[in-house]
Amino acid sequence: MNADPRRSGIRILLVEDAFDEALVIRTFLQSAPGTFHVTYSQDGDHAAVLLREREWDLLITDLNLPGIDGFELCRIAKAEHPSMPILAVTGYTGAHYQEEAFRAGATDLMTKPLEDDDFVRKVEELTGTRRTPVHASVIAVGGLVGDVEMGCGGTLLKQRQAGMDVVIVPLCRDERDPTNSGVECAVNAAKRLGARVLIDEPALEDTERRMGFLQRLAHDLRLETAYIPAMDDPHPARREAFRVAKVAFGTVPLVLGYQTMTTGFDFKPSRLEDVSEQMMDKMEALTAYQESRNARKDLAPRVAQAYARYWGRFQSFGEVEPFEVVHEQ
């Protein structure tokens, strides 16, 4: 299974303790139009030696490995090859796995089971071999988990369908959810939207950390559009998210405010996005929050549909998500 990394082509170090899953990944890459040379390691200790001895274009690693685990392997990879992208893969969906992986240095993370086209597309993006241009990112900030999916989930689905990378950031902790169980729901909902969730635990508690977290994201991602809670929202968490995000995203070309259940009467949208074709998928994403023991009524799928049909009166009686322009360059 090993390939000589000195040959021309993209040199990939694949670290996976399950041999059958490694074979699947190799098959994906062999079927891709590019030239990928894959070197396989079944444990973290051996992979660490390979990282120190050779040059690589991409590390693909499972997070749960015998010997050195995937998190520590990401740290070693970043120390040895600072500019090399790292794709972490895991069968676990817990938000803390994603958070720890990104803190350890992972460039991106995918959840098993892997899909052929999505996986190859991600590898091509990370290695710069994708034949079509890599699109910019879209970020959506919520005061609370679920705000984004309810307020602009259909529009985010359209962005994903257009090839955009979509990132969802819940910015504040929900006082009604002391165990923070909504985070797992947020990860599941985002997966159904084709998006990824980024959460900085310290930022959930502190305004200064929130600002720094969003500013880092604005710097690291090639943001084209940002969605934030509407400016006329009296809810403390949503008002805080609006205030912080508006400043942090000052250089983003387009910042739009979306509606929540607590948005005030001064909300006067100037953009209406028809999401009729995406509505069923948006409702399915919201069902992730109904699977929780403390399901929130304001995140019920039928509520989302009722709002969309209300605003649809102003645009050909479709199902619509409304937005106000907060900032546009």
Side-chain angles (χ1 to χ4, degrees), residues 73-150:
L73 197 63
C74 288
R75 297 185 185 97
I76 293 171
K78 275 301 175 187
E80 296 292 329
H81 311 282
S83 62
M84 179 187 67
I86 300 171
L87 176 58
V89 295
T90 180
Y92 294 91
T93 58
H96 66 283
Y97 272 85
Q98 296 192 24
E99 296 167 28
E100 188 175 350
F102 287 121
R103 290 194 187 103
T107 310
D108 214 323
L109 182 143
M110 298 189 77
T111 304
K112 300 175 184 178
L114 300 171
E115 297 292 336
D116 187 351
D117 291 342
D118 290 341
F119 178 76
V120 170
R121 187 181 303 114
K122 181 58 64 179
V123 169
E124 289 175 337
E125 288 180 5
L126 293 175
T127 57
T129 57
R130 191 173 179 185
R131 298 172 186 269
T132 56
V134 178
H135 292 279
S137 297
V138 171
I139 194 167
V141 174
L144 304 175
V145 293
D147 283 355
V148 165
E149 294 89 333
M150 174 62 77

Side-chain angles (χ1 to χ4, degrees), residues 63 70-72 74-75 88 90 92-111 145 168-173 179-187 196-205 213 216-217:
L63 294 177
F71 302 106
E72 182 60 25
C74 288
R75 297 185 185 97
T90 180
Y92 294 91
T93 58
H96 66 283
Y97 272 85
Q98 296 192 24
E99 296 167 28
E100 188 175 350
F102 287 121
R103 290 194 187 103
T107 310
D108 214 323
L109 182 143
M110 298 189 77
T111 304
V145 293
I168 296 175
V169 181
L171 207 57
C172 302
R173 196 180 297 280
T179 63
N180 215 23
S181 61
V183 171
E184 185 174 351
C185 297
V187 172
R196 56 192 174 108
V197 176
L198 295 183
I199 299 175
D200 185 294
E201 287 288 341
L204 296 175
E205 310 289 349
F213 179 49
R216 287 195 301 275
L217 290 178

Side-chain angles (χ1 to χ4, degrees), residues 146 149-151 153-154 189 192 261 275 278-292 295-310 319-321:
E149 294 89 333
M150 174 62 77
R192 297 174 194 184
M261 286 289 286
V275 294
Q278 292 76 30
M279 198 64 211
M280 291 303 296
D281 289 331
K282 171 179 175 174
M283 293 171 69
E284 181 184 353
L286 286 168
T287 60
Y289 293 98
Q290 306 310 303
E291 296 162 3
S292 169
R296 281 169 46 189
K297 294 181 180 179
D298 63 313
L299 297 180
R302 291 297 179 186
V303 172
Q305 188 174 50
Y307 268 84
R309 288 178 175 174
Y310 169 82
E319 292 173 323
V320 167
E321 289 176 344

Side-chain angles (χ1 to χ4, degrees), residues 155 159 224-225 227 253-259 267-274 311 314-315 320-329:
T155 300
Q159 302 277 28
E224 181 175 284
T225 306
Y227 298 92
L254 179 63
V255 180
L256 298 174
Y258 61 83
Q259 184 181 32
F267 177 65
K268 296 180 176 60
S270 57
R271 297 196 178 195
L272 300 176
E273 191 72 38
D274 192 319
W311 289 106
F314 304 100
Q315 187 163 303
V320 167
E321 289 176 344
F323 300 98
E324 62 183 8
V325 177
V326 176
H327 166 81
E328 185 173 19
Q329 291 183 352

